Amino acid sequence: MIIKAAAGNSLPGDPDWWKKAVFYQIYPRSFMDSNGDGFGDLQGIIDRLDYLNDGTPASLGIDAIWFSPFFPSPDRDFGYDVADYCAIDPRYGTMADFDRLVEEAHRRKIRILLDLVMNHTSSEHPWFQESRSSRNNPKRDWYIWRDGRGPGKRPPNNWRNNFFGPAWTWDEKTGQYYLHSFLKEQPDLNWYNQEVREAVFAVVRFWLDRGVDGFRLDVAHLYCKDPELRNNPPYWRRRKPAESLPAGDRTLIMNLFYYLGAPEFQVKIYNEHHPETHRVLKELRRVLDEYPAKTSVGEILGEDAGVLASYYGTGSDELHMNFYFDLMHCRWSAGAFRRCIERWERLLPPEAWPAYALSNHDVVRAISRYDQGGEGERRARLLALMLLTLRGSPFIYYGEEIGMKEARLPKRLLKDPVGRKWYPLHRGRDGARTPMQWSDSPAAGFSSGTPWLPVGPEIGKRNVAAQDSDPASLLNFYRRLIWLCKDLPVLQQGAYRSLVAGVPADCYCYLRELAGSKAAVALNFSRAPRTVDLSPEGRSWRLALSTDYRRTGESGISTLKLGPGEGCLLLEVGG
Ligand code: GLC
């Protein structure tokens, strides 16, 4: 293995930093607009880095940022259709701005993860332009081209794309179909082609050489498909995986998704999770390992948690981390969350390190997902406490820390192709991508111009300025929690164990344990007070943090009283 010297811009240090880090996802278009054009930009992000971490508990205290793409893109899928992997879209700034962003972030000990969207490119990427120019172009085989079937020239097989519709589009000029797992403007790369792999790894090295600390891998479970392109079987032939979130533990919407024919009445056995993809990810890991202290986190989607866990390889030869999305699909129930975590802990290889998120740019924000009966705000605190204290790296989605809610936008304002196509059945993903709410001004302090999407609801209280000085605010809860976790090795590295004895069924409790020190987390999912007996695990506990900010200074606890919807973090005294 060649270990490169740290590039000029790199942060030196702990190769395992990503296991201790709190991550923050920025959707660059919506974070901060510095030039008034209504789009977020890199300078805007630089201007707000101190908010994220200025080295003091007055800031949020995050350790790493994952940026959704800011590469040149025709924006058919808002950056997830990349037209040039090694440049910055001028609307976001220049490469010099990017270098400054890395430098300024690193100066604050904030690491940088980029979004590597490598299942597909934009149809405007020069690679595809060449590939589609003629059947014998040298890049023809960089994408997946096939003849039509039969005299009617039907598509090569029955595969459907993930935004609904056929996965094949006919190209008039060269008389063949090409494959696309998403929009027709997002043609899939052919990962069986060695030149494609080399080209992608060159992109990876390009950014690592500029000092980035790792990558989030977009839909990495789709990279390789069945080389014979066999038809997927119909949905009724689906066998329920042994290891999955049971219907009773899933949100209603996810159950509808699974039982009303997702994904489009077929079982995707031939176009997802192909064994060759694991070989690609192992090769990618070797590229990352050429550099010190890099990391990766995969977006691997699927129903079978056993399959999802396999993307860790042995635990250290494939993905560093892999989001476990079942956590986002749990219905509001202590048991559902507990079983979900227990399943993942049980399935992971010993060295594997979990990554958890409750919100991102593709799903309804958690605070709105769980807002039944107006409980969203209280539940957001409980979820924050859980996210930050589970074993694994937490990913916070921008605005989650101030309780930004999902916006319900009318069709005419929708930008996301999913919403535009399926409205009102599906409003798409714009509702989770609205501008960061810095203040209660009309454009939320995000822009001096007109934001590309309208600002979200309840701007009066859900903004940074309003919450900054309010000790009871969600923002200040996040700040206390994150800074507290930094000082507690047991929370960063300790083993996880669920507590069941002495715990009411509608509470979720667990222990974190490290070399004799113990932390307990007790989460009351019910709307009534509850009592948890901690005495079997330790005689005396001290309250380190409650979701109820008025509650401080308690110690000598063995039986913990929880208010409705309250969560507490406790440390064993003398442990
Ligand atoms: C991932 C991204 C999503 C995008 C899709 C296609 O799921 O998170 O936003 O639409 O990939 O690239």
Side-chain angles (χ1 to χ4, degrees):
M1 189 197 312
I2 322 147
I3 301 284
K4 292 206 176 163
N9 243 342
S10 274
L11 257 189
D14 186 359
D16 280 342
W17 62 268
W18 46 277
K19 296 186 176 174
K20 297 162 197 155
V22 175
F23 288 80
Y24 188 88
Q25 181 191 352
I26 288 185
Y27 195 70
R29 180 179 304 257
S30 294
F31 195 62
M32 185 65 208
D33 169 19
S34 71
N35 61 3
D37 65 0
F39 288 89
D41 46 47
L42 300 189
Q43 183 57 50
I45 295 168
I46 295 171
D47 293 342
R48 297 296 167 150
L49 286 174
D50 277 343
Y51 164 78
L52 297 176
N53 196 344
D54 68 1
T56 78
S59 64
L60 194 54
I62 59 106
D63 306 292
I65 304 173
W66 149 31
F67 291 102
S68 283
F70 39 52
F71 316 110
S73 163
D75 271 352
R76 301 306 296 248
D77 189 18
F78 292 87
Y80 285 90
D81 47 331
V82 180
D84 182 350
Y85 289 103
C86 295
I88 304 295
D89 191 311
R91 288 169 300 174
Y92 293 111
T94 62
M95 195 54 92
D97 293 329
F98 175 79
D99 288 340
R100 238 170 355 95
L101 171 62
V102 176
E103 201 181 309
E104 288 294 323
H106 282 177
R107 210 157 58 75
R108 294 165 176 82
K109 299 200 173 51
I110 300 174
R111 318 253 178 172
I112 301 282
L113 262 62
L114 299 188
D115 215 319
L116 200 60
V117 187
M118 287 302 187
N119 172 68
H120 45 267
T121 67
S122 157
S123 53
E124 291 184 23
H125 194 291
W127 297 345
F128 188 70
Q129 293 293 318
E130 279 188 51
S131 183
R132 82 182 322 175
S133 65
S134 80
R135 285 203 190 198
N136 47 25
N137 183 277
K139 290 210 170 55
R140 184 66 169 179
D141 184 51
W142 281 38
Y143 293 82
I144 302 161
W145 293 95
R146 287 294 183 282
D147 292 333
R149 271 187 302 173
K153 299 221 184 296
R154 283 174 299 121
N157 65 20
N158 71 352
W159 296 354
R160 313 288 292 174
N161 77 59
N162 286 284
F163 289 158
F164 304 100
W168 296 95
T169 286
W170 177 254
D171 183 57
E172 205 53 63
K173 184 168 172 217
T174 55
Q176 280 191 314
Y177 282 96
Y178 66 88
L179 182 73
H180 50 93
S181 297
F182 293 88
L183 301 174
K184 68 179 192 321
E185 293 85 2
Q186 294 169 293
D188 282 23
L189 282 164
N190 174 16
W191 276 90
Y192 290 98
N193 182 310
Q194 202 51 41
E195 286 172 15
V196 167
R197 292 191 193 188
E198 289 310 319
V200 172
F201 298 153
V203 169
V204 167
R205 290 192 176 96
F206 173 86
W207 291 110
L208 291 176
D209 289 337
R210 290 202 102 87
V212 314
D213 303 286
F215 299 91
R216 176 259 189 189
L217 309 182
D218 191 66
V219 292
H221 57 295
L222 300 183
Y223 286 178
C224 299
K225 287 90 181 169
D226 175 33
E228 292 170 44
L229 302 178
R230 278 169 282 189
N231 276 332
N232 281 327
Y235 202 55
W236 54 264
R237 294 247 299 272
R238 157 181 183 269
R239 249 181 274 127
K240 219 179 133 14
E243 297 289 358
S244 67
L245 199 60
D249 284 354
R250 274 201 298 241
T251 54
L252 179 66
I253 201 81
M254 280 316 284
N255 277 324
L256 287 176
F257 179 78
Y258 278 114
Y259 289 107
L260 290 184
E264 288 209 87
F265 302 103
Q266 59 182 230
V267 201
K268 296 191 180 178
I269 56 174
Y270 291 121
N271 51 347
E272 294 186 350
H273 303 295
H274 191 278
E276 183 65 18
T277 298
H278 290 278
R279 239 165 275 149
V280 170
L281 291 174
K282 286 189 164 74
E283 286 175 27
L284 179 63
R285 175 64 179 252
R286 287 198 288 275
V287 175
L288 292 173
D289 286 347
E290 290 169 10
Y291 296 72
K294 302 303 175 194
T295 195
S296 59
V297 56
E299 183 202 26
I300 308 284
L301 301 163
E303 198 185 358
D304 189 333
V307 171
L308 304 179
S310 70
Y311 285 84
Y312 280 95
T314 61
S316 56
D317 65 347
E318 219 171 305
L319 291 175
H320 294 76
M321 294 180 279
N322 181 4
F323 284 119
Y324 185 42
F325 291 104
D326 279 352
L327 196 71
M328 289 183 184
H329 303 151
C330 286
R331 72 183 173 90
W332 189 256
S333 142
F337 279 96
R338 176 172 56 74
R339 287 185 288 275
C340 180
I341 296 298
E342 285 171 354
R343 181 176 315 107
W344 198 229
E345 284 280 346
R346 176 168 45 80
L347 290 171
L348 290 184
E351 276 187 69
W353 188 252
Y356 295 117
L358 293 161
S359 300
N360 67 28
H361 64 294
D362 290 329
V363 299
V364 172
R365 285 177 176 273
I367 190 167
S368 300
R369 199 159 67 231
Y370 297 116
D371 199 18
Q372 301 82 6
E375 290 283 306
E377 170 85 31
R378 195 152 69 178
R379 291 176 175 180
R381 276 166 211 254
L382 203 74
L383 290 175
L385 183 57
M386 182 182 77
L387 186 68
L388 270 292
T389 58
L390 285 171
R391 189 182 80 92
S393 295
F395 282 69
I396 299 166
Y397 184 48
Y398 82 95
E400 200 168 13
E401 74 279 16
I402 51 168
M404 266 173 66
K405 286 192 163 175
E406 188 80 5
R408 267 177 84 83
L409 303 175
K411 184 169 185 201
R412 72 191 153 80
L413 293 178
L414 294 186
K415 306 273 197 253
D416 178 25
V418 179
R420 292 171 67 86
K421 182 162 177 193
W422 290 97
Y423 187 92
L425 216 68
H426 191 321
R427 286 169 179 263
R429 300 166 294 179
D430 295 314
R433 300 174 177 179
T434 54
M436 176 68 181
Q437 293 164 194
W438 297 103
S439 73
D440 64 0
S441 76
F446 160 75
S447 174
S448 57
T450 308
W452 76 285
L453 276 180
V455 298
E458 301 172 20
I459 173 88
K461 56 178 176 175
R462 304 188 186 282
N463 72 73
V464 172
Q467 295 191 21
D468 185 45
S469 54
D470 173 4
S473 70
L474 185 58
L475 176 58
N476 278 315
F477 177 69
Y478 264 96
R479 287 172 173 161
R480 281 195 293 275
L481 177 57
I482 292 173
W483 285 93
L484 182 65
C485 292
K486 284 190 204 299
D487 289 337
L488 295 172
V490 65
L491 285 183
Q492 291 172 354
Q493 300 154 51
Y496 166 94
R497 176 157 62 90
S498 301
L499 288 183
V500 184
V503 178
D506 45 17
C507 292
Y508 173 26
C509 295
Y510 48 89
L511 282 188
R512 301 289 310 279
E513 295 168 289
L514 180 73
S517 67
K518 277 190 190 176
V521 178
L523 309 169
N524 180 3
F525 276 66
S526 84
R527 295 185 198 185
R530 290 285 181 263
T531 303
V532 173
D533 182 10
L534 290 170
S535 58
E537 295 300 336
R539 273 181 299 114
S540 178
W541 297 82
R542 172 173 75 75
L543 180 71
L545 187 68
S546 163
T547 52
D548 179 351
Y549 91 103
R550 292 163 305 185
R551 198 169 165 184
T552 54
E554 291 172 46
S555 60
I557 303 170
S558 69
T559 305
L560 174 71
K561 290 197 186 324
L562 291 167
E566 188 186 6
C568 287
L569 168 65
L570 300 106
L571 300 172
E572 195 190 11
V573 179

